[in-house]
Every structure is written in C-alpha cells, then in structure tokens.
Amino acid sequence: MKITSKIEEVRAVRWVDAALSWGFAPTMGYLHEGHLALVRLAKTENDRAAVSIYVNPAQFGPQEDLASYPRSLERDLALLREAGVDLVFTPDDGVMYPAGFQTKVWVEGVSRPLEGSARPGHFDGVATVVAKLFNIVQPTRAYFGQKDAQQTVVLRRMALDLNFPVEMVICPTAREPDGLAMSSRNSYLTPDQRAAATVLYRALSAAQAAFAAGERRGDALRAVMRDTVAAEPLARLDYVSAANPLTLAEWDRVEGDCLLSLAVFLDRVRLIDNILIKDAS
Ligand code: AMP
C-alpha cells in the first residue's frame, strides 16, 4: 500500500498501467465501518482502490469543529491496509491550498437548501476539494455514502456539469445496531447523548412508517419527525425535510421518491441522517 502526501506520487502510481480501473473513496479519516464499506466496494469493482484522508478546512464554518475533528491516522492506515487498498493520499493544507490559491467550485441550486442553508459555504468547500481530488487521482469510479445524501446530489451535479469522466457510486448508510448512523462525530457524544442520538433514526423510521401507512402530505411527514425530536430532552432540532431526492425541493404532496432527512444538535454536536423512500407505484 503506497501512502503519500505528494500529488506527483499519486499520479505516478495511478498511471503505472493506464488499462487498470481505479476506485476512489475520499474521506476525512477516523474511519469506521461506513467508510470501510465504500472502500471494500471500490476494491471489488475495480482493479485498484485509492482512499484520501484529508480534513478539508474549506468545508468547515468558522464556528464549526475543524480544530477538534477526530484523527487517527495510524489506525486508519492499518484498516486500509487490511482492506487491500493500494494507494492512500494524505495531503496537507499546503498541498491542497498552496499560496495563491483562488478557485472555488460552486454548485448553485442543489447546494442551497438543508445542509447548504445550515452551513453556509460548506458545499463550496466540498465541491472544490472533490474536484481537486478527482483531478489528482483520476479515478474510474468514485464512492460516496448515502449518509451524506445532499452531498451525493451536489457532487453528481458537479461531475455532470464539469464533465468529470468518473462514475459516481453511492453506498447505503452503515448503522450501529440501534440505528444510529455511523459517523466520526459520534465520538464526541457523552454516554447520555449517545443514547439520545438514536432519536434521528427513530424520527426517520416514524415518518417512514407514516408514509407506509399512506401519508403523502409533506407537512405531515415533517411533523412526525419534528414531534419525535421534540420528545427527546437532550436533542435540539436544526431542520427536518421531506424532499424530492433529485432537486431537494420540499414535497407539498409526495409524488415519486422521497428523501426524509434531518439535522439535530445534542448540545454542540450536530448529527445528520436520512432515509430514501422509493416510490413503489
Ligand atoms: P467523511 O469522512 O465523513 O467525509 O466521509 C467520507 C465518505 O464516507 C463520504 O462519502 C460519506 O458519505 C461516507 N460515509 C460516512 N459515514 C457513512 C455511513 N455511516 N455509511 C455510509 N457512508 C458513510
């Protein structure tokens, strides 16, 4: 497994044999089973697999957790070696944003609502760093988690609009046995908060059950999630959404697929989760 922070070395390994397909999973490290599922699929579907580990400052707001974001490089590298990864790119800020850097990728429409409105500038940072990583690694396929549903919509749009010759693959959300979506940020939770954090999946499941029982009014589905979160004393709701998964426009009445999503604070820890309901008709 080649580990490097240098762009030239990534390119050299990537292009040893142009006939080989490469799967690529960008991450911010502190790896868990959700990341590893992406990596294993990348390895299965391609001749070679690459992973980046980079906590990208451009996607954090000034009041967010950049400084405290958990890191565990040695452990991450051991897990990636075990998963059969061929190349790990671990750039630093000087490599990604050298002096004089001035360019931003901004995906206009689908970056606006939900996470985009709660975290101004977040998706500019994500789109910019992923565009750079695509140009550095030049993967055949790129692997992203459904956990970050809006991110997948934004990045698909970017890849399409900017003609990146990369096949986008979205992997299901990996969950703890009690339903909590795996996230590096779960490590911030106290035991009480960890217990309360199941409220995200409980809220989504309750709205999914209402949908299964025939509820199609967007407001009613959002109210089910809002009420579930309101009943959890340690949780504070940021937003709930029942939206068209392609446009992210809120459904008035659901016609087609429905992306249920929400963001919740447990004290200062902010967690997100979602469930995609496929239209059965
Ligand atoms: P991050 O390190 O949080 O930037 O995540 C790197 C990639 O892993 C992104 O494509 C995430 O959507 C994905 N990911 C994170 N958590 C999960 C999860 N619980 N299940 C599936 N994919 C995940």
Side-chain angles (χ1 to χ4, degrees):
M1 184 171 85
K2 172 77 178 176
I3 304 160
T4 181
S5 58
K6 297 197 172 70
I7 293 172
E8 317 80 75
E9 291 190 358
V10 171
R11 292 234 171 92
V13 174
R14 163 62 181 103
W15 292 108
V16 161
D17 181 350
L20 297 177
S21 63
W22 278 79
F24 172 50
T27 82
M28 299 204 297
Y30 208 75
L31 303 179
H32 52 64
E33 196 48 42
H35 297 112
L36 295 174
L38 264 57
V39 170
R40 284 193 287 262
L41 191 63
K43 183 73 188 177
T44 309
E45 294 187 343
N46 300 275
D47 300 315
R48 300 282 184 272
V51 171
S52 60
I53 299 178
Y54 179 56
V55 180
N56 171 35
Q59 70 189 70
F60 288 77
Q63 307 303 324
E64 293 184 355
D65 55 344
L66 173 62
S68 59
Y69 197 83
R71 294 159 207 249
S72 57
L73 185 60
E74 289 311 313
R75 181 177 165 275
D76 291 351
L77 294 175
L79 290 168
L80 295 176
R81 194 171 283 118
E82 204 178 305
V85 166
D86 301 280
L87 172 63
V88 184
F89 181 44
T90 55
D92 60 24
D93 295 341
V95 167
M96 294 304 277
Y97 302 108
F101 187 89
Q102 303 188 9
T103 304
K104 249 187 205 176
V105 178
W106 172 46
V107 180
E108 193 172 10
V110 287
S111 288
R112 280 184 194 277
L114 308 174
E115 289 300 286
S117 128
R119 305 180 66 189
H122 170 66
F123 286 121
D124 300 356
V126 170
T128 303
V129 81
V130 171
K132 287 172 65 69
L133 291 168
F134 279 4
N135 282 329
I136 294 165
V137 178
Q138 296 180 274
T140 316
R141 298 183 185 85
Y143 295 80
F144 297 95
Q146 176 63 25
K147 158 81 182 356
D148 297 282
Q150 187 175 11
Q151 174 170 279
T152 70
V153 178
V154 169
L155 293 178
R156 269 190 202 280
R157 189 72 251 168
M158 178 195 78
L160 202 64
D161 290 353
L162 297 183
N163 307 97
F164 280 99
V166 179
E167 187 185 321
M168 307 289 278
V169 183
I170 312 303
C171 304
T173 301
R175 298 183 179 283
E176 302 290 353
D178 63 4
L180 177 66
M182 290 185 182
S183 166
S184 309
R185 290 190 168 97
N186 292 348
S187 64
Y188 295 140
L189 300 169
T190 65
D192 284 354
Q193 291 168 343
R194 170 62 188 82
T198 58
V199 74
L200 284 91
Y201 189 62
R202 283 189 277 121
L204 292 166
S205 302
Q208 187 179 33
F211 186 95
E215 183 60 79
R216 293 294 181 275
R217 292 169 301 163
D219 277 348
L221 294 167
R222 289 182 284 272
V224 168
M225 292 189 274
R226 202 176 288 119
D227 292 349
T228 309
V229 175
E232 172 52 66
L234 293 186
R236 181 165 56 84
L237 186 66
D238 192 356
Y239 65 77
V240 288
S241 165
N244 179 327
L246 300 178
T247 63
L248 303 179
E250 292 300 318
W251 283 123
D252 181 16
R253 192 178 170 77
V254 180
E255 287 162 28
D257 297 346
C258 182
L259 179 67
L260 300 171
S261 66
L262 78 173
V264 168
F265 282 99
L266 295 136
D267 195 10
R268 300 228 293 276
V269 184
R270 185 174 180 280
L271 301 179
I272 59 171
D273 199 356
N274 69 87
I275 288 181
L276 178 60
I277 303 179
K278 291 284 189 184
D279 184 15
S281 65

